[in-house]
């Protein structure tokens, strides 16, 4: 009985563009919004666009670290599932007052600071970024450009 080979997790989020988008959201939400440097409508849309690009890739990569998938089609299904979850949540907090209130209360409790979300259905076109995120993952998996991370908790070289 040989040791089972270690599975690898493709880099979906841990690449330059998704990490840069996460940094942009942090910069925008903590320094640019309300600073007067950029119009409020622009800083709001900026966070939506950048966040909707990186969030499904981050969720998919985290899920793959904990529960590896076998092969690119399974990885892509994970990315699509993450994109659908992010899109559903985003749509809910932008259009449904109860979801908005729950989102604000949850984040406020987590950050121990008041968090305010602006319900704005004009933010929904940013959902197109989910398609871009899925397309990026699909292209990188198809070309073998998504180098692998070690799967969750497994030590490299164990059992040799």
């Amino acid at each position: 009985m040989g040791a089972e080979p270690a599975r690898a997790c493709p880099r979906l989020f841990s690449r330059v563009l998704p990490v840069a988008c996460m940094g942009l959201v942090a910069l925008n939400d903590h320094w640019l919004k309300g600073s007067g440097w950029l119009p409020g409508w622009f800083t709001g849309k900026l966070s939506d666009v950048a966040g909707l690009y990186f969030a499904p890739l981050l969720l998919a990569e985290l899920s793959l670290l904990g529960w590896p998938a076998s092969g690119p089609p399974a990885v892509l299904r994970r990315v699509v599932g993450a994109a659908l979850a992010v899109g559903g949540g985003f749509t809910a907090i932008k259009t449904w007052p109860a979801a908005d209130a729950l989102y604000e209360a949850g984040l406020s409790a987590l950050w121990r600071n008041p968090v305010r979300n602006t319900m704005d259905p004009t933010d929904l076109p940013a959902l197109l970024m989910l398609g871009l995120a899925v397309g990026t993952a699909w292209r990188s998996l198809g070309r073998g450009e998504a180098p692998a991370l070690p799967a969750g908790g497994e030590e490299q070289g164990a059992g040799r």
Side-chain angles (χ1 to χ4, degrees):
M1 288 187 220
E4 185 178 315
R7 292 189 200 175
C9 174
R11 291 180 189 263
L12 301 168
F13 168 76
S14 53
R15 298 171 62 117
V16 173
L17 186 57
V19 171
C21 285
M22 186 176 77
L24 180 60
V25 169
L27 173 74
N28 188 45
D29 287 356
H30 294 285
W31 289 287
L32 296 178
K33 283 186 179 179
S35 71
W37 292 351
L38 296 169
W41 67 265
F42 182 79
T43 58
K45 305 298 186 229
L46 187 61
S47 287
D48 296 340
V49 167
L52 287 170
Y53 179 75
F54 87 78
L57 299 172
L58 174 61
L59 288 177
E61 189 167 308
L62 289 173
S63 76
L64 289 164
L65 285 170
W67 302 278
S70 55
V75 171
L76 191 58
R77 282 191 298 274
R78 196 79 59 94
V79 174
V80 169
L84 290 171
V86 168
F90 182 80
T91 301
I93 66 170
K94 293 297 180 176
T95 61
W96 187 29
D100 175 57
L102 183 62
Y103 175 74
E104 287 179 350
L107 279 184
S108 294
L110 180 66
W111 301 132
R112 297 181 185 195
N113 256 335
V115 171
R116 189 172 85 49
N117 176 56
T118 302
M119 282 186 43
D120 184 0
T122 68
D123 290 340
L124 296 180
L127 289 166
L128 293 172
M129 294 306 291
L130 297 172
L132 184 60
V134 170
T136 299
W138 177 62
R139 281 190 310 278
S140 66
L141 289 167
R143 294 182 192 159
E145 293 174 0
L149 294 169
E154 296 179 14
E155 291 183 34
Q156 295 295 354
R160 289 187 188 176

